[in-house]
Amino acid sequence: PRKRPMDESGHKKTPPVLLVLETSRDEPKWQRLFHSCLEKRNQAGDTILPELQVYGCSWNELTVVSYTDGLQCSIVRKEKKEDQRSQHVSFKADFILIRTLSRGCGHVTDNRRTLWGIAHSGVLCINTVEVETMMMDRPVVHGALRRLQRKVGKDVFPLIEQNYCPSSNDLCIGQEFPAVVKVGHVHAGYGKIKVEDSCMMEDVTSVLSVGSDYFTLERYVPHLWELRIQKIGNHYRMFRRAGVSCWKVNVGGCVHETIDVCEKYKRWADEASALFGGLDILSVDGIINEETGEELILEVNGGSTGLHPDYAEEDEHMITSHTLDRISLWLKEGKERPAEPPKTSEIEIELANLRNQVLAVDKKLEDLEDYETRSKAYIYKLQRMVGVKASKFVVAVVTTSVVLTGIVVKWWLPGVG
């Protein structure tokens, strides 16, 4: 067995822990994929990630508690056989690969509280927690796609027109029929019905009134094939599929056919990969009108996107390789970033204090110069005011003196006579 690397103190390093969230519960498969890919990288000289511990489970099997120092995870697997006990394992996750939505049909499959615990911990995820949170609800995704379409134009990103109703009491006016009604947040063909006319829409509305879900409406596009453009990291794959037993391609049997990815469809995936801060794993679903040849984008899926059955193993290798690339990049950034800010020396502190003192003196000098300027102006104004008042005072004194002199002369002269 390969020896575990040592840290600076001589103790064995604990390998980082990766948790894979998916529906198949195939933990050995992911352990085998990551260990095989990692061994090839180490043999090629890429030793930034010498070892990785991998766990896998579904959302329903996972419970989390977010602490200040990390995310504590517990997996409880309930075995189907009565003679086998439930398996329980606890660990602290460093990275998470999210391959399934945290919310499905009904309250039993609503694991949003677990997702929020992961978000609270700040653990690095592929796709990110922000992406997976936004991708849960169709109106949020469609709104982001509308903004993208306004940015790049309808010719580049031909998104299908869609209406939104918060409840059965708020119906859209002027909806074309036949139409497709999609109820609530569920995916994979659930909660979706084809409505032929307004009378059938009234029946659907009466059923919707029993619940409290929102729903969306979009015109039904007659088609032979649906398109899927898949992007994993920088790898693209495109195929078309047709339903065998139902107008819903993802319900019942379907036929897959791989086709080449042209620049137009590659642009669809590239533009969609920038949503919500960036998607590492995604797929764009489109449709071609069999009558007019019009191409339309239906929706975008995140990390839970389904893979082509004939290329699933190859694509899972792509997901494994891209996940290791992301983990290695995060570890490299963590090593290059200093653990703590450099300490400031006493001389630098003294220089900073002196610099602050000089700035304070300069400010006082500026205040004094400003005070001197204002004082001079005030003195000049005062002098002018005093000068005017002094002249008036002299005139008044002279006038008073003349009057008093005349009175004295008049009083004194008769006496002399």
Side-chain angles (χ1 to χ4, degrees):
R2 189 172 46 194
K3 291 184 179 180
R4 184 170 296 177
M6 304 287 186
D7 58 15
E8 296 178 356
S9 60
H11 296 89
K12 291 183 179 181
K13 286 185 178 179
T14 302
V17 176
L18 170 68
L19 171 62
V20 181
L21 287 168
E22 63 163 4
T23 56
S24 65
R25 297 180 55 185
D26 195 353
E27 182 180 70
K29 176 191 70 176
W30 289 106
Q31 290 176 341
R32 184 176 63 254
L33 285 171
F34 278 100
H35 292 164
S36 175
C37 186
L38 200 58
E39 187 174 0
K40 292 179 181 178
R41 289 178 176 231
N42 291 334
Q43 291 176 355
D46 185 2
T47 59
I48 190 170
L49 183 62
E51 194 173 358
L52 183 67
Q53 195 169 356
V54 180
Y55 294 94
C57 68
S58 65
W59 283 102
N60 289 334
E61 297 172 330
L62 178 68
T63 57
V64 299
V65 179
S66 175
Y67 296 99
T68 304
D69 60 343
L71 181 70
Q72 186 65 36
C73 302
S74 297
I75 299 176
V76 179
R77 295 189 178 93
K78 297 181 179 179
E79 299 297 335
K80 295 181 180 180
K81 297 181 180 180
E82 296 181 357
D83 58 342
Q84 292 183 351
R85 296 182 178 180
S86 298
Q87 298 179 2
H88 182 274
V89 60
S90 296
F91 55 91
K92 189 174 289 186
D94 299 299
F95 309 100
I96 298 178
L97 170 61
I98 303 176
R99 284 287 294 130
T100 180
L101 291 171
S102 62
R103 190 182 180 193
C105 294
H107 67 280
V108 178
T109 57
D110 188 354
N111 298 281
R112 285 177 294 174
R113 289 180 295 179
T114 304
L115 180 66
W116 296 333
I118 295 173
H120 180 272
S121 69
V123 168
L124 298 171
C125 301
I126 299 173
N127 290 322
T128 65
V129 176
E130 291 79 9
V131 167
E132 295 305 321
T133 302
M134 293 301 209
M135 297 298 289
M136 279 192 296
D137 286 291
R138 185 176 292 105
V140 177
V141 179
H142 193 84
L145 295 176
R146 277 188 178 180
R147 291 191 295 270
L148 177 58
Q149 185 189 58
R150 286 196 290 265
K151 177 182 176 183
V152 301
K154 291 184 178 181
D155 295 337
V156 176
F157 203 80
L159 180 66
I160 191 169
E161 296 180 356
Q162 187 182 91
N163 298 320
Y164 168 83
C165 299
S167 69
S168 59
N169 296 324
D170 304 287
L171 294 179
C172 297
I173 299 175
Q175 175 65 46
E176 291 184 44
F177 293 99
V180 177
V181 176
K182 300 177 181 179
V183 183
H185 64 278
V186 290
H187 294 266
Y190 292 101
K192 186 162 63 173
I193 183 173
K194 179 183 175 184
V195 180
E196 296 292 346
D197 50 37
S198 57
C199 294
M200 186 176 178
M201 187 65 205
E202 292 180 2
D203 292 338
V204 173
T205 303
S206 65
V207 175
L208 292 175
S209 62
V210 177
S212 57
D213 284 322
Y214 62 82
F215 63 95
T216 60
L217 298 99
E218 57 194 48
R219 63 186 176 93
Y220 173 76
V221 179
H223 61 281
L224 294 176
W225 300 89
E226 281 192 5
L227 304 177
R228 169 159 287 191
I229 303 97
Q230 173 187 294
K231 184 180 180 184
I232 301 171
N234 294 321
H235 179 266
Y236 300 85
R237 188 184 303 282
M238 182 174 177
F239 53 92
R240 60 184 185 180
R241 53 188 184 174
V244 176
S245 58
C246 181
W247 67 272
K248 302 178 189 179
V249 175
N250 50 3
V251 174
C254 64
V255 178
H256 293 79
E257 181 181 336
T258 306
I259 55 179
D260 295 332
V261 185
C262 64
E263 288 299 322
K264 175 176 61 177
Y265 299 129
K266 185 179 177 182
R267 178 78 182 274
W268 289 7
D270 288 339
E271 294 293 346
S273 65
L275 295 176
F276 310 124
L279 285 79
D280 295 276
I281 304 169
L282 77 147
S283 63
V284 180
D285 289 342
I287 200 169
I288 301 177
N289 192 319
E290 65 176 343
E291 298 175 355
T292 63
E294 180 188 17
E295 295 181 340
L296 294 170
I297 295 173
L298 296 177
E299 61 183 7
V300 173
N301 306 287
S304 61
T305 182
L307 306 176
H308 191 297
D310 297 336
Y311 298 93
E313 185 176 351
E314 181 181 343
D315 290 339
E316 285 170 351
H317 278 282
M318 293 287 180
I319 294 173
T320 301
S321 179
H322 180 71
T323 302
L324 290 177
D325 289 339
R326 298 290 288 171
I327 293 176
S328 299
L329 179 62
W330 288 329
L331 291 176
K332 184 178 179 181
E333 291 177 349
K335 288 182 178 180
E336 292 178 350
R337 190 183 302 112
E340 59 181 11
K343 296 181 179 179
T344 307
S345 64
E346 295 182 359
I347 296 177
E348 290 176 338
I349 295 174
E350 187 66 25
L351 288 174
N353 292 334
L354 290 174
R355 192 180 298 111
N356 292 334
Q357 292 177 8
V358 170
L359 293 175
V361 171
D362 290 341
K363 184 67 171 60
K364 289 182 179 180
L365 289 175
E366 291 178 0
D367 293 342
L368 288 174
E369 290 177 357
D370 183 57
Y371 177 75
E372 182 181 1
T373 302
R374 287 187 283 106
S375 298
K376 287 181 179 180
Y378 178 75
I379 291 172
Y380 176 74
K381 184 177 180 181
L382 185 62
Q383 286 177 344
R384 293 191 60 184
M385 291 176 61
V386 170
V388 173
K389 291 182 178 180
S391 60
K392 291 182 179 180
F393 177 73
V394 171
V395 172
V397 170
V398 172
T399 304
T400 305
S401 300
V402 172
V403 173
L404 291 174
T405 303
I407 293 173
V408 171
V409 169
K410 288 182 180 180
W411 175 76
W412 183 68
L413 287 177
V416 174

